[in-house]
Amino acid sequence: MSMAKQRRVAIVGTGSYLPERVLTNADLEKIVDTTDEWIRTRTGILERRLARGDEVTSDMAAAAASRALESAGIAPTEVDLILVATITPDMPFPSTACYVQDKIGATNAFCMDVSAACSGFIYAMESARAHILAGGVKTALVIGAEKLSSVMDWEDRATCVLFGDGAGAVVLRESTDGRGILSSFMGSDGSLSHLLNLPGGGSRYPASEQTLKDRLHCIKMTGNEVFKHAVRCMCDAGNRALDRCGLTEDDVRWIVPHQANLRIIQAIASRLGGSIERFIVNLDKVGNVSGASIPLALDEAVRDGRVKPGDKVLLVAFGGGFTWGAMLVEM
Ligand code: UT7
């Protein structure tokens, strides 16, 4: 009896986009009571990018998507599904994915957003993979895109120094050579939602003069609590994804973690037993770009030649919800 060949979904193209304007730690010293030294030593962030006022999430998403399609050699009309992971959609509805469809001319795609905060990109990859393996979708565009500057409280030094704007994208198709997504693990814990959220503008606190006054339309985070859970959950997810395909840390060439804090990444490196040299880190230049952080870092590493075809790459994420996940990909 012949073994059925395992069907896999592969990344066939990557792309990203960063807005031009740079906001340095020195710039932030003029806005809130902070120092370059504090930001650098507590987070590893040196600068982040800020979108123009008239530049919205779908503009950045469309730019990243076009670059990913170009690198895959695939036309927009060949795309069957667009998923956008974002916590800063252009509007509460329609989905940002629908705006992206229109901007890139992907007229044959069906489109929706994925809400899983900083884990959104991995969740969206997992969803796109399932659609492809189920047979209804041949080509999927998975995008992480954020304009976090639009939900910053520029008077809260504990959050406004952390985040940035940008977008990253991948094109997924069924693998023809066995490479692709080898395994994954996803988790959520809604009981800890109070530690990281954006309370205003939904059905709980609809926009009002009071919600504006209470600054409820901005990100709220209990940073040091989130920190501990982030390390624990990303390590656990990484190990479980590896277990699921019978591989170990030593089989992994690169780890692309969510870029929230260099100290979190260092803690994961020491717990997973890997060297920090194997981690792709770009938060020094872009800060925390939530759902866009992993595809931005991945695209940078593909384009500068660090990540090569055949490399096994472990993606790990953690975010509000809480949500977390890991995905092992053979590029
Ligand atoms: O992306 C989704 C997941 N997010 C994360 O994973 C973020 C996880 N959390 C973190 O990265 C860190 O907790 C932060 C970078 C947010 C904060 O670092 P921390 O070492 O946990 O600091 P802390 O919140 O415990 O605050 C320590 C001190 C406080 O002062 P006191 O109370 O000790 O006097 C803060 O008021 O640092 C103060 N502080 C600042 N000082 C200068 C907080 N923000 C700043 C600031 N500049 N920007």
Side-chain angles (χ1 to χ4, degrees), residues 207-227:
S208 68
E209 274 178 46
Q210 194 59 44
T211 62
L212 272 183
K213 218 185 288 166
D214 295 341
R215 312 185 86 80
L216 296 190
H217 301 277
C218 300
I219 289 183
K220 311 286 174 203
M221 178 165 74
T222 310
N224 43 19
E225 282 295 316
V226 174
F227 190 112

Side-chain angles (χ1 to χ4, degrees), residues 34 38 42-43 118 157-158 223-224 226 258 260-261 263-264 288:
T34 191
W38 191 95
R42 295 291 184 120
T43 72
C118 303
R157 69 176 183 176
N224 43 19
V226 174
H258 171 52
N261 188 318
R263 290 186 295 131
I264 293 179
N288 181 345

Side-chain angles (χ1 to χ4, degrees), residues 63-123:
S66 296
R67 288 172 188 176
L69 286 170
E70 201 179 289
S71 83
I74 289 171
T77 49
E78 293 179 77
V79 175
D80 304 305
L81 168 65
I82 301 177
L83 294 179
V84 175
T86 187
I87 53 169
T88 47
D90 291 14
M91 297 182 190
F93 82 90
S95 69
T96 300
C98 280
Y99 287 110
V100 172
Q101 175 198 33
D102 186 44
K103 284 176 183 170
I104 67 173
T107 45
N108 298 309
F110 72 101
C111 310
M112 59 186 150
D113 289 357
V114 172
S115 173
C118 303
S119 311
F121 179 74
I122 293 190
Y123 273 45

